Amino acid sequence: MSRVESPSVTASYAQAVLDAAAEDSGAPVPWELPAERLESAEMHALWDAVLGAGGTAPHAGLLMGDRMRPGALHILGHLLLTCASLADAAAAAERYHPLVSQMGTVTLHRHGGAPGTGRVRYRQVPGAQAMRPQQVEAVVGCIVRAGRWIAGDDWAPVAVSFSHSRTGPAEPYARVLGCPVTFDAPETAVTVTDEDLDRRRPVHDPALHALHRAYADGLLDRLGAAATVSGRVRDWLAHAELGDVGAEGPARELTLSVRSLRRALHAEGTSWRALLDAARHDRARRLLETTALPLDRIAPLVGLSGATALVRAFTRWEGVSPGAYRVRRPGPHGFPGVRHAPPPRRGEGP
């Protein structure tokens, strides 16, 4: 795998920015978009054209992000609409955000912040041309808007922080985001309660979600799994045997030392341990949804010591036991997984 030198952005997102700018100004911004993606330099130039040389629209990005619709995010937007919870949506954004933009990374952090909360963090790709504050605020505004697609229009995060300085009056930030907003912070992030993250939607179509994920996986493979080290590691883990896996494998694939790999992941707001945990979660969920394997057979396939460890880990990931998850998810051939699964063994849980 060779590292992509020029991050790109999907044309559907660029078109949404142009449409919002035309709506605000009453006149279209003349710009010819490619069929699929723009290089990062083209996207910077597009924002320059939208904002003007003097940057006279301090809240333009925030307002554009709040008006984003699922189609602007291509397949990711449709995938988010079929997620069962905000936590699932954040995990999907973490994996598939490169399909929308390779100029930054989205990561979910469930621990290390205020008790009872998690953070959806956005970071620009290290070494790339710095994004304007409006570009970053468009991303954060879109993250909050996407949360409302799932949790309802009246939902609001606990707080939002930006690593850049405030560029205009404070009132629009509080009005659009619906929560306290801080600037010049250590990170750009959206803070959400664990309760909100884990609350399951009453109506959810897992079969449709699986179709969207399969299509998104195919696009991700074509894209080369993003211009980030974390994206490449996620792609490597998606195809790796998880029973006995270490950071040496992806480091060798990316022609990096393990130490350099860990430093690069830290710069992108994640870690080898977090990515491996996410890969185990994803593999376990897919095996529960698509096979009738008992838990003591699934556990080694996801790198866990046995059924008890799988029950403990899966309950931490999903808030329910593997057995309860299987009951309400489709199993092989579209039938409820519980019809195909044998009775649980001792220690497997319900």
Side-chain angles (χ1 to χ4, degrees), residues 22-347:
E23 183 179 340
D24 289 339
S25 65
V29 178
W31 201 273
E32 185 175 349
L33 292 174
E36 293 188 0
R37 300 184 72 86
L38 293 77
E39 297 297 316
S40 59
E42 296 178 279
M43 195 63 188
H44 282 293
L46 185 151
W47 272 97
D48 287 344
V50 165
L51 299 175
T56 56
H59 300 106
L62 178 72
L63 298 175
M64 288 175 183
D66 184 53
R67 291 205 297 269
M68 288 289 174
R69 296 296 176 261
L73 306 183
H74 200 258
I75 184 60
L76 176 57
H78 300 290
L79 180 62
L80 294 176
L81 289 176
T82 62
C83 285
S85 67
L86 288 177
D88 284 354
E94 184 169 358
R95 174 166 174 78
Y96 298 108
H97 179 72
L99 295 176
V100 181
S101 172
Q102 297 171 311
M103 295 171 65
T105 60
V106 175
T107 52
L108 173 63
H109 301 263
R110 295 303 301 264
H111 306 290
T117 65
R119 303 185 321 283
V120 179
R121 177 192 292 167
Y122 180 74
R123 282 189 173 181
Q124 297 179 50
V125 173
Q129 180 181 350
M131 296 165 64
R132 285 195 176 208
Q134 289 90 344
Q135 289 177 265
V136 176
E137 290 173 10
V139 174
V140 172
C142 186
I143 289 172
V144 174
R145 174 49 57 191
R148 290 170 179 155
W149 299 340
I150 297 167
D153 287 339
D154 59 348
W155 175 80
V158 174
V160 167
S161 62
F162 292 103
S163 59
H164 59 256
S165 300
R166 181 158 55 89
T167 58
E171 186 277 331
Y173 293 99
R175 172 169 47 82
V176 170
L177 300 174
C179 64
V181 182
T182 57
F183 298 87
D184 298 310
E187 63 182 13
T188 294
V190 178
T191 301
V192 185
T193 66
D194 288 340
E195 181 181 2
D196 282 353
L197 282 168
D198 296 327
R199 183 180 298 114
R200 312 298 287 184
R201 301 174 76 179
V203 178
H204 170 56
D205 187 339
L208 182 59
H209 181 76
L211 287 174
H212 287 323
R213 283 184 68 95
Y215 182 58
D217 282 333
L219 293 178
L220 201 60
D221 287 341
R222 284 172 48 194
L223 189 61
T228 62
V229 172
S230 57
R232 292 294 172 83
V233 172
R234 288 189 191 95
D235 185 60
W236 188 90
L237 283 167
H239 302 93
E241 296 289 338
L242 299 181
D244 183 19
V245 63
E248 297 81 5
R252 184 167 51 250
E253 188 77 9
L254 273 65
T255 64
L256 296 171
S257 68
V258 172
R259 185 176 181 181
S260 295
L261 174 70
R262 293 185 185 277
R263 280 202 305 263
L265 293 177
H266 178 74
E268 293 175 8
T270 187
S271 67
W272 164 251
R273 179 176 295 182
L275 295 178
L276 178 58
D277 189 63
R280 286 173 170 160
H281 177 194
D282 189 63
R283 187 77 56 87
R285 181 165 52 187
R286 292 190 184 202
L287 288 169
L288 288 168
E289 292 175 357
T290 61
T291 77
L293 291 172
L295 300 191
D296 60 355
R297 293 276 304 281
I298 291 177
L301 296 177
V302 300
L304 296 174
S305 60
T308 300
L310 176 60
V311 170
R312 186 182 304 115
F314 198 84
T315 303
R316 171 172 59 84
W317 292 326
E318 290 285 336
V320 297
S321 70
Y325 182 89
R326 212 168 208 170
V327 166
R328 65 193 195 194
R329 295 295 186 274
H333 315 300
F335 295 101
V338 69
R339 298 182 186 178
H340 298 268
R345 299 170 182 262
R346 183 186 299 269

